[in-house]
């Protein structure tokens, strides 16, 4: 399942800058599949009672929707980098680094905000386990992206 998840991540994150209308539709389908796969991985690894699940899953969907905008910004940053690769100026580099850090800061704020909300519906150990799962999935994504994205020249 890990390889399929990684493949979907790369398909969703690569090639957006040259996408046709059909390509964009395919990318959106891929992103939806990625979301479903991520949710399935969380569900398989987060043991919830029926009452916990009833409270958790709507909040999970809300949280992932809040993160989606940051994912869009990351895709834009990566495709912008790809478009300028080999001709990146110091100003371009500075702008991308600022955007990268802004995305990371906003993600951390969202994670912190939702920890408190998740703790209202789940015990602390399950919230910690959920964030561990998210962290592992994010690590897979970051590993795959690091393997595909060349260093600045």
């Amino acid at each position: 399942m890990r390889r399929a998840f990684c493949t979907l991540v790369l398909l969703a994150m690569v090639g957006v800058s040259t996408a046709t209308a059909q390509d964009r539709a395919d990318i959106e389908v891929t992103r939806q599949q990625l979301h479903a796969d991520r949710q399935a991985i969380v569900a398989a690894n987060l043991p919830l009672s029926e009452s916990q699940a009833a409270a958790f899953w709507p909040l999970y969907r809300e949280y992932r929707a809040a993160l989606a905008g940051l994912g869009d910004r990351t895709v834009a940053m990566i495709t912008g980098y790809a478009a300028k690769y080999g001709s990146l100026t110091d100003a371009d580099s500075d702008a991308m680094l600022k955007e990268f850090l802004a995305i990371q800061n906003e993600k951390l704020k969202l994670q912190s905000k939702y920890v408190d909300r998740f703790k209202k519906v789940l015990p602390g150990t399950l919230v910690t386990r959920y964030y561990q799962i998210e962290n592992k999935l994010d690590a897979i994504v970051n590993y795959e992206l690091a393997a595909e994205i060349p260093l600045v020249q």
Side-chain angles (χ1 to χ4, degrees), residues 36-96:
D37 288 351
R38 186 178 194 106
Q39 186 170 331
I41 291 168
V42 170
N45 290 283
L46 189 64
L48 300 174
S49 69
E50 283 186 39
S51 63
Q52 289 170 332
F56 173 78
W57 288 111
L59 187 57
Y60 168 85
R61 287 187 286 279
E62 180 183 314
Y63 173 62
R64 294 305 308 171
L67 287 172
L70 297 177
D72 293 343
R73 286 173 60 189
T74 300
V75 168
M77 183 180 60
I78 292 169
T79 56
Y81 175 66
K84 293 182 179 186
Y85 185 74
S87 63
L88 200 66
T89 66
D90 285 341
D92 294 332
S93 179
D94 288 344
M96 285 185 201

Coordinates of all heavy atoms in Angstrom, one line a residue, residues 36-96:
A36 N -8.5 9.4 -0.2 CA -9.2 8.1 0.3 C -8.2 7.1 0.8 O -8.4 6.5 1.8 CB -10.0 7.5 -0.9
D37 N -7.1 7.0 0.1 CA -6.0 6.0 0.6 C -5.5 6.5 2.0 O -5.3 5.6 2.8 CB -4.9 5.9 -0.4 CG -5.3 5.2 -1.7 OD1 -6.4 4.6 -1.7 OD2 -4.5 5.2 -2.6
R38 N -5.3 7.7 2.1 CA -4.8 8.3 3.4 C -5.8 8.0 4.5 O -5.4 7.5 5.6 CB -4.5 9.7 3.3 CG -3.8 10.3 4.5 CD -3.5 11.8 4.3 NE -2.6 12.3 5.3 CZ -1.3 12.5 5.2 NH1 -0.8 12.4 4.0 NH2 -0.6 12.9 6.2
Q39 N -7.0 8.2 4.2 CA -8.1 8.0 5.2 C -8.1 6.5 5.5 O -8.3 6.1 6.7 CB -9.4 8.5 4.7 CG -10.5 8.3 5.8 CD -11.8 9.0 5.4 OE1 -11.8 10.0 4.7 NE2 -12.9 8.6 5.9
A40 N -8.0 5.6 4.5 CA -8.0 4.2 4.8 C -6.8 3.7 5.7 O -7.0 2.9 6.5 CB -8.0 3.4 3.5
I41 N -5.7 4.3 5.4 CA -4.5 4.0 6.3 C -4.7 4.5 7.7 O -4.4 3.7 8.6 CB -3.2 4.7 5.7 CG1 -2.9 4.0 4.3 CG2 -2.1 4.6 6.6 CD1 -1.8 4.7 3.5
V42 N -5.3 5.6 7.9 CA -5.6 6.1 9.2 C -6.6 5.2 9.9 O -6.4 4.7 11.0 CB -6.1 7.6 9.2 CG1 -6.7 8.0 10.6 CG2 -5.0 8.5 8.8
A43 N -7.7 4.8 9.2 CA -8.7 3.9 9.7 C -8.1 2.6 10.1 O -8.5 2.0 11.1 CB -9.8 3.8 8.7
A44 N -7.2 2.0 9.3 CA -6.7 0.7 9.6 C -5.7 0.7 10.8 O -5.5 -0.3 11.4 CB -5.9 0.2 8.4
N45 N -5.2 1.9 11.1 CA -4.2 2.0 12.2 C -4.7 2.8 13.4 O -3.9 2.9 14.4 CB -3.0 2.6 11.6 CG -2.3 1.7 10.7 OD1 -1.6 0.8 11.1 ND2 -2.4 2.0 9.4
L46 N -5.9 3.2 13.4 CA -6.4 4.0 14.6 C -7.7 3.3 15.1 O -8.8 3.5 14.6 CB -6.8 5.4 14.2 CG -7.1 6.4 15.3 CD1 -5.9 6.6 16.2 CD2 -7.6 7.7 14.7
P47 N -7.5 2.5 16.1 CA -8.7 1.7 16.6 C -9.6 2.6 17.4 O -9.3 3.2 18.4 CB -8.0 0.7 17.6 CG -6.7 1.3 18.0 CD -6.3 2.2 16.9
L48 N -10.8 2.8 16.8 CA -11.8 3.6 17.4 C -13.1 2.8 17.7 O -13.5 2.0 16.9 CB -12.2 4.8 16.5 CG -11.1 5.7 16.0 CD1 -11.6 6.7 15.0 CD2 -10.5 6.5 17.2
S49 N -13.7 3.2 18.8 CA -15.1 2.6 19.1 C -16.1 3.3 18.2 O -15.7 4.3 17.5 CB -15.5 2.9 20.6 OG -15.7 4.3 20.8
E50 N -17.3 2.8 18.1 CA -18.3 3.4 17.3 C -18.5 4.9 17.6 O -18.6 5.8 16.8 CB -19.6 2.6 17.3 CG -19.6 1.4 16.5 CD -21.0 0.7 16.5 OE1 -22.0 1.4 16.4 OE2 -21.0 -0.5 16.5
S51 N -18.6 5.2 18.9 CA -18.9 6.6 19.3 C -17.7 7.4 19.1 O -17.9 8.6 18.7 CB -19.3 6.6 20.8 OG -18.2 6.1 21.6
Q52 N -16.5 6.9 19.2 CA -15.3 7.7 18.9 C -15.2 8.0 17.4 O -14.9 9.1 17.0 CB -14.0 7.0 19.4 CG -13.8 6.9 20.9 CD -12.7 6.0 21.3 OE1 -12.4 5.0 20.6 NE2 -12.1 6.3 22.4
A53 N -15.5 7.0 16.6 CA -15.5 7.1 15.2 C -16.5 8.2 14.7 O -16.2 9.0 13.8 CB -15.7 5.8 14.5
A54 N -17.7 8.1 15.3 CA -18.7 9.1 14.9 C -18.3 10.5 15.2 O -18.6 11.4 14.5 CB -20.0 8.8 15.7
A55 N -17.5 10.7 16.2 CA -17.0 12.1 16.6 C -15.7 12.4 15.8 O -15.5 13.6 15.4 CB -16.7 12.2 18.1
F56 N -14.9 11.4 15.6 CA -13.6 11.7 15.0 C -13.6 12.0 13.5 O -13.0 12.9 13.0 CB -12.6 10.5 15.2 CG -11.3 10.6 14.5 CD1 -10.3 11.4 14.9 CD2 -11.1 9.8 13.3 CE1 -9.1 11.5 14.2 CE2 -9.9 9.9 12.6 CZ -8.9 10.7 13.1
W57 N -14.3 11.1 12.7 CA -14.3 11.2 11.2 C -14.7 12.6 10.7 O -14.1 13.1 9.8 CB -14.9 10.0 10.6 CG -14.1 8.8 10.8 CD1 -14.4 7.7 11.5 CD2 -12.8 8.6 10.3 NE1 -13.4 6.8 11.5 CE2 -12.3 7.3 10.8 CE3 -11.9 9.3 9.5 CZ2 -11.1 6.8 10.4 CZ3 -10.7 8.8 9.1 CH2 -10.3 7.5 9.6
P58 N -15.8 13.2 11.2 CA -16.1 14.5 10.7 C -15.0 15.6 11.0 O -14.7 16.4 10.1 CB -17.4 14.9 11.4 CG -18.0 13.6 11.8 CD -16.8 12.7 12.1
L59 N -14.4 15.5 12.1 CA -13.4 16.4 12.5 C -12.1 16.1 11.6 O -11.4 17.0 11.2 CB -13.0 16.2 14.0 CG -12.0 17.2 14.6 CD1 -12.5 18.7 14.3 CD2 -11.9 17.0 16.1
Y60 N -11.8 14.8 11.4 CA -10.7 14.5 10.5 C -10.9 15.1 9.1 O -10.0 15.7 8.5 CB -10.7 12.9 10.4 CG -9.7 12.4 9.3 CD1 -8.4 12.3 9.5 CD2 -10.2 12.1 8.0 CE1 -7.5 11.9 8.5 CE2 -9.4 11.7 7.0 CZ -8.0 11.6 7.2 OH -7.2 11.2 6.2
R61 N -12.1 14.9 8.6 CA -12.4 15.5 7.2 C -12.2 17.0 7.2 O -11.7 17.6 6.3 CB -13.8 15.1 6.7 CG -13.8 13.6 6.3 CD -15.1 13.2 5.6 NE -16.2 13.1 6.6 CZ -16.4 12.0 7.4 NH1 -15.6 11.0 7.3 NH2 -17.4 12.0 8.2
E62 N -12.7 17.7 8.3 CA -12.5 19.1 8.4 C -11.0 19.5 8.5 O -10.6 20.4 7.8 CB -13.2 19.6 9.7 CG -13.1 21.1 9.9 CD -13.8 21.4 11.3 OE1 -14.9 21.0 11.6 OE2 -13.2 22.2 12.0
Y63 N -10.3 18.7 9.2 CA -8.8 19.0 9.4 C -8.1 18.8 8.0 O -7.3 19.6 7.6 CB -8.3 18.0 10.4 CG -6.8 18.0 10.6 CD1 -6.1 19.2 10.9 CD2 -6.0 16.9 10.3 CE1 -4.7 19.2 11.1 CE2 -4.7 16.9 10.5 CZ -4.0 18.0 10.8 OH -2.6 18.0 11.0
R64 N -8.4 17.7 7.3 CA -7.8 17.5 6.1 C -8.2 18.5 5.0 O -7.3 18.9 4.2 CB -8.1 16.1 5.5 CG -7.6 14.9 6.4 CD -6.1 14.9 6.6 NE -5.3 15.0 5.4 CZ -4.0 15.3 5.3 NH1 -3.3 15.4 6.4 NH2 -3.4 15.4 4.1
A65 N -9.4 19.0 5.1 CA -9.8 20.1 4.2 C -9.1 21.4 4.5 O -8.7 22.1 3.6 CB -11.3 20.3 4.3
A66 N -8.8 21.6 5.8 CA -8.1 22.8 6.1 C -6.6 22.7 5.6 O -6.0 23.7 5.3 CB -8.1 23.0 7.7
L67 N -6.1 21.5 5.6 CA -4.7 21.3 5.1 C -4.6 21.3 3.6 O -3.6 21.6 3.0 CB -4.2 20.0 5.6 CG -3.8 19.9 7.1 CD1 -3.5 18.4 7.4 CD2 -2.6 20.8 7.4
A68 N -5.7 21.1 2.9 CA -5.7 21.1 1.4 C -5.2 22.3 0.8 O -4.5 22.3 -0.2 CB -7.1 20.8 0.9
G69 N -5.5 23.5 1.4 CA -5.0 24.7 0.8 C -3.5 24.8 0.9 O -2.9 25.3 0.0
L70 N -2.9 24.3 2.0 CA -1.5 24.3 2.1 C -0.9 23.3 1.1 O 0.2 23.6 0.5 CB -1.1 23.9 3.5 CG -1.5 24.9 4.6 CD1 -1.1 24.3 6.0 CD2 -1.0 26.3 4.3
G71 N -1.6 22.2 0.8 CA -1.1 21.3 -0.2 C -1.1 21.9 -1.6 O -0.2 21.8 -2.4
D72 N -2.2 22.7 -1.9 CA -2.2 23.5 -3.2 C -1.1 24.4 -3.3 O -0.5 24.6 -4.3 CB -3.5 24.2 -3.3 CG -4.8 23.3 -3.4 OD1 -4.6 22.1 -3.7 OD2 -5.9 23.8 -3.1
R73 N -0.7 25.1 -2.2 CA 0.4 26.0 -2.2 C 1.7 25.3 -2.4 O 2.6 25.8 -3.1 CB 0.4 26.8 -0.9 CG -0.6 27.9 -0.9 CD -0.7 28.6 0.5 NE 0.5 29.3 0.9 CZ 0.7 29.8 2.1 NH1 -0.2 29.7 3.0 NH2 1.8 30.4 2.4
T74 N 1.8 24.1 -1.8 CA 3.0 23.3 -2.0 C 3.2 22.9 -3.5 O 4.3 23.0 -4.0 CB 3.0 22.1 -1.1 OG1 2.9 22.5 0.3 CG2 4.3 21.2 -1.3
V75 N 2.1 22.4 -4.1 CA 2.1 22.0 -5.5 C 2.5 23.2 -6.3 O 3.4 23.1 -7.2 CB 0.7 21.5 -5.9 CG1 0.7 21.4 -7.5 CG2 0.4 20.2 -5.3
A76 N 2.0 24.4 -6.1 CA 2.3 25.6 -6.8 C 3.8 25.9 -6.7 O 4.5 26.3 -7.6 CB 1.5 26.8 -6.4
M77 N 4.3 25.8 -5.4 CA 5.7 26.1 -5.2 C 6.6 25.1 -5.9 O 7.6 25.5 -6.6 CB 6.0 26.0 -3.7 CG 7.4 26.4 -3.3 SD 7.7 26.3 -1.5 CE 7.3 24.5 -1.2
I78 N 6.3 23.8 -5.9 CA 7.1 22.8 -6.6 C 7.0 23.0 -8.1 O 8.1 23.0 -8.8 CB 6.6 21.4 -6.2 CG1 7.0 21.1 -4.7 CG2 7.2 20.3 -7.1 CD1 6.3 19.9 -4.2
T79 N 5.9 23.3 -8.6 CA 5.8 23.5 -10.1 C 6.5 24.8 -10.5 O 7.0 24.8 -11.6 CB 4.3 23.4 -10.6 OG1 3.6 24.4 -9.9 CG2 3.7 22.0 -10.4
G80 N 6.4 25.8 -9.7 CA 7.1 27.0 -9.9 C 8.6 26.8 -10.0 O 9.3 27.3 -10.8
Y81 N 9.1 26.0 -9.0 CA 10.5 25.6 -9.0 C 10.9 24.8 -10.3 O 11.9 25.1 -10.9 CB 10.8 24.8 -7.7 CG 12.2 24.3 -7.6 CD1 13.3 25.1 -7.5 CD2 12.5 22.9 -7.7 CE1 14.6 24.7 -7.4 CE2 13.7 22.4 -7.6 CZ 14.8 23.3 -7.4 OH 16.1 22.8 -7.4
A82 N 10.1 23.9 -10.6 CA 10.3 23.1 -11.8 C 10.4 24.0 -13.1 O 11.3 23.8 -13.9 CB 9.3 22.0 -12.0
A83 N 9.5 24.9 -13.2 CA 9.5 25.8 -14.3 C 10.7 26.7 -14.4 O 11.2 27.1 -15.5 CB 8.2 26.7 -14.3
K84 N 11.3 27.0 -13.3 CA 12.5 27.9 -13.2 C 13.8 27.1 -13.0 O 14.8 27.8 -12.9 CB 12.3 29.0 -12.2 CG 11.2 29.9 -12.5 CD 11.1 31.0 -11.4 CE 10.0 32.0 -11.8 NZ 9.9 33.1 -10.9
Y85 N 13.7 25.8 -12.9 CA 14.9 25.1 -12.6 C 16.0 25.3 -13.6 O 15.8 25.3 -14.8 CB 14.6 23.6 -12.6 CG 15.8 22.8 -12.1 CD1 16.2 22.8 -10.8 CD2 16.6 22.0 -13.0 CE1 17.3 22.1 -10.4 CE2 17.7 21.3 -12.6 CZ 18.1 21.3 -11.3 OH 19.2 20.7 -10.9
G86 N 17.2 25.6 -13.1 CA 18.3 25.9 -13.9 C 18.5 27.4 -14.2 O 19.5 27.8 -14.6
S87 N 17.4 28.2 -14.0 CA 17.5 29.6 -14.2 C 17.0 30.4 -12.9 O 16.6 31.5 -13.1 CB 16.8 30.0 -15.4 OG 15.4 29.7 -15.3
L88 N 17.0 29.8 -11.8 CA 16.5 30.3 -10.6 C 17.4 31.5 -10.1 O 18.6 31.3 -10.0 CB 16.5 29.3 -9.5 CG 15.6 29.5 -8.3 CD1 14.1 29.5 -8.7 CD2 15.8 28.4 -7.3
T89 N 16.8 32.6 -9.9 CA 17.5 33.8 -9.4 C 17.6 33.8 -7.9 O 16.8 33.0 -7.2 CB 16.9 35.1 -9.9 OG1 15.6 35.2 -9.3 CG2 16.8 35.2 -11.4
D90 N 18.4 34.6 -7.3 CA 18.4 34.7 -5.8 C 17.0 35.2 -5.3 O 16.6 34.7 -4.3 CB 19.5 35.7 -5.4 CG 20.9 35.1 -5.5 OD1 21.0 33.8 -5.5 OD2 21.9 35.9 -5.5
A91 N 16.4 36.1 -6.1 CA 15.1 36.6 -5.7 C 14.1 35.5 -5.7 O 13.2 35.4 -4.8 CB 14.7 37.8 -6.5
D92 N 14.1 34.7 -6.8 CA 13.2 33.5 -6.9 C 13.4 32.6 -5.7 O 12.5 32.1 -5.1 CB 13.4 32.7 -8.2 CG 13.1 33.5 -9.4 OD1 12.2 34.4 -9.4 OD2 13.7 33.2 -10.5
S93 N 14.7 32.3 -5.4 CA 15.1 31.4 -4.4 C 14.6 31.9 -3.0 O 14.0 31.2 -2.2 CB 16.6 31.2 -4.3 OG 17.0 30.4 -3.3
D94 N 14.8 33.2 -2.7 CA 14.3 33.8 -1.5 C 12.8 33.7 -1.4 O 12.3 33.4 -0.3 CB 14.7 35.3 -1.4 CG 16.2 35.4 -1.2 OD1 16.9 34.5 -0.8 OD2 16.7 36.6 -1.4
A95 N 12.1 34.0 -2.5 CA 10.6 33.9 -2.4 C 10.1 32.5 -2.1 O 9.2 32.3 -1.4 CB 10.0 34.4 -3.7
M96 N 10.8 31.5 -2.8 CA 10.4 30.1 -2.5 C 10.7 29.7 -1.1 O 9.9 29.0 -0.5 CB 11.1 29.2 -3.5 CG 10.5 29.3 -4.9 SD 11.3 28.0 -6.0 CE 10.9 28.7 -7.6

